[in-house]
Amino acid sequence: MSFKKKLAAAPALAAAVIAAVALLLTSPAAGPAVAQEDADVIKVGILHSLSGTMAISETTLKDAVLMLIEEQNRKGGLLGKKLVPVVVDPASEWPLFAEKARDLLSREKVAVVFGCWTSVSRKSVLPVFEELNGLLFYPVQYEGQESSKNVIYTGAAPNQQAIPAVDYLLDQGVKRFALVGTDYVFPRTANKIVEAYLLTKGIKQEDIYINYTPFGHADWQSIVAEIKRFGTTGVKTAVISTINGDANVPFYKELAAQNISAESIPVMAFSVGEEELSGIDTKPLVGHLAAWNYFQSVENPANATFIAAWKEYIKDPKRVTNDPMEAHYIGFNLWVKAVEKAGTTDVDAVLKAIVGLETPNLTGGTARLLANHHLTKPVLIGEIQDDGQFQVVWSTEGEVEGDAWSDYLPESADLIADWTDPINCGNYNEKTKTCGGSEAAAPAQ
């Protein structure tokens, strides 16, 4: 057939194809099969980097959610339906997080998403979740200064990590602080809060050193040398580290290379847990610190059961657990309870049902979801041991309520978040009795 004849026949052919597809879709055999398949499953989105600089931290979280889904399905699923995971890889690229989130909500029609690590990834997806009314469970400690209706913050707010960690160091006699972080939202905002808090405690501005490096930074020789000089004035000095991802490996190696020990200049990490230490020779790092709300080394029956289940699921007795995994454990269990209470996975119904719900944490206490979409959490300080685990050296007596807005920054001192009536606002000004009009604060620069 000539090109002209093929072109002339195209409309007729297209019409025939459309008619055939229409007939297929409206036939008794095809229609109910599709509807029945959709009715029997609940899709759960998993939005964690499986490649790139953050894969060192996030791959484990993907596996943890898959384990939780498998366990729930063994219990009979949810609302009589099977949970089906939909895993995507945003590859540590922040714009790709938003694209993958939109795919999960619009195309895959997931009921909920568990994901993100860095605050820049969360900031990237936030407009998508708010536009499409999706539900995100965010499992990592963060800088606060935000509360969205569409996000459940299961990691620590600054008053559940940064402030208690600073208090611990002050109690140990530390007078000089080197704030070292990756150059993005969380470290800059967290350090802004820490700096303001230190000034209220009488620490002088000249006794605060601040440095930021890009994601994946590898050459730490000159920066560690600066920290060493900063800490050799005869005044007790500590590092507060908000370094994220695989940059932690060369950072700690350089500390050891320059003979910076926990006795000389202790490091208090906010983003280093058991998973990050599993790739490092930890013997030179013994005594350095981390502040979290969970450590694998905590002894209680619930944690022992979780650790055993994880090692069995992952088929590797050497794999470790960590704080963000516990946050997903808590968040997943709260979501299941909220769906059961609401009798539906509808986001608005689940959000209404979830506030006030409680579930056991893995440290022997209880996590309760507050009206500001944050949790009650214990705060633990741990020392690195030579086996890559942490020995708890300090903890709060009970759970601390997460505060979305810092009391130490003037722009947020009067703000609260409350997603229940009559306030129903993420940044409500208690003095002016008005809602700020935005569910989330703009990222710190």
Side-chain angles (χ1 to χ4, degrees), residues 84-407:
V84 176
V86 182
V87 180
V88 295
D89 178 16
S92 306
E93 297 181 14
W94 320 132
L96 194 55
F97 268 88
E99 180 182 324
K100 295 293 186 181
R102 188 171 293 277
D103 284 347
L104 287 172
L105 297 175
S106 297
R107 183 166 57 85
E108 297 290 349
K109 306 294 184 183
V110 300
V112 65
V113 175
F114 294 87
C116 298
W117 179 292
T118 67
S119 287
V120 67
S121 68
R122 189 193 70 255
K123 293 287 188 184
S124 177
V125 306
L126 189 56
V128 177
F129 278 88
E130 292 178 343
E131 174 196 342
L132 301 177
N133 198 32
L135 178 57
L136 172 67
F137 280 77
Y138 177 64
V140 185
Q141 92 297 341
Y142 85 120
E143 71 282 357
Q145 307 306 94
E146 175 184 304
S147 177
S148 171
K149 176 179 77 74
N150 297 87
V151 180
I152 304 299
Y153 303 83
T154 55
N159 72 306
Q160 296 171 309
Q161 184 191 40
I163 299 303
V166 170
D167 284 338
Y168 176 84
L169 292 173
L170 290 170
D171 288 343
Q172 301 301 307
V174 175
K175 300 294 185 184
R176 302 196 94 198
F177 292 81
L179 312 184
V180 182
T182 304
D183 193 4
Y184 75 106
V185 180
F186 164 60
R188 284 190 173 273
T189 307
N191 285 341
K192 185 178 178 183
I193 293 169
V194 167
E195 183 180 13
Y197 184 66
L198 287 172
L199 293 175
T200 69
K201 292 296 183 177
I203 302 299
K204 298 177 181 179
Q205 191 70 61
E206 57 265 30
D207 290 325
I208 303 173
Y209 165 93
I210 302 175
N211 183 278
Y212 297 104
T213 50
F215 278 99
H217 188 72
D219 184 6
W220 288 95
Q221 185 174 3
S222 61
I223 295 172
V224 169
E226 287 180 16
I227 293 170
K228 192 171 184 178
R229 285 192 294 271
F230 180 75
T232 54
T233 62
V235 178
K236 191 166 185 179
T237 302
V239 173
I240 292 180
S241 170
T242 47
I243 300 166
N244 261 262
D246 54 11
N248 278 292
V249 176
F251 171 68
Y252 278 98
K253 285 183 177 178
E254 188 60 34
L255 289 177
Q258 298 197 30
N259 297 316
I260 295 180
S261 66
E263 289 74 23
S264 58
I265 304 176
V267 175
M268 175 74 76
F270 292 171
S271 299
V272 172
E274 294 87 345
E275 185 70 14
E276 289 77 16
L277 291 180
S278 64
I280 304 174
D281 177 12
T282 56
K283 290 182 176 60
L285 307 182
V286 170
H288 286 301
L289 305 161
W292 289 102
N293 311 105
Y294 163 89
F295 289 112
Q296 178 177 313
S297 59
V298 172
E299 295 182 1
N300 70 71
N303 193 32
T305 299
F306 180 76
I307 294 169
W310 168 244
K311 292 181 183 296
E312 171 62 24
Y313 174 80
I314 210 69
K315 306 301 181 187
D316 183 353
K318 295 182 179 180
R319 287 290 294 275
V320 295
T321 60
N322 61 25
D323 181 285
M325 288 175 66
E326 190 223 20
H328 265 337
Y329 169 86
I330 291 169
F332 185 86
N333 289 335
L334 284 173
W335 176 71
V336 168
K337 285 190 172 187
V339 169
E340 291 174 338
K341 180 180 176 181
T344 176
T345 59
D346 175 76
V347 169
D348 289 332
V350 169
L351 287 173
K352 184 176 181 180
I354 199 169
V355 173
L357 290 184
E358 297 181 350
T359 191
N361 60 32
L362 295 177
T363 56
T366 301
R368 176 167 52 91
L369 202 283
L370 305 170
N372 62 8
H373 285 187
H374 292 65
L375 292 174
T376 58
K377 300 174 79 72
V379 186
L380 312 176
I381 306 293
E383 281 188 358
I384 297 174
Q385 304 298 293
D386 59 9
D387 62 355
Q389 290 293 313
F390 290 86
Q391 179 182 343
V392 177
V393 295
W394 180 89
S395 66
T396 52
E397 292 185 4
E399 285 76 35
V400 177
E401 293 190 354
D403 188 358
W405 298 97
S406 175
D407 296 335

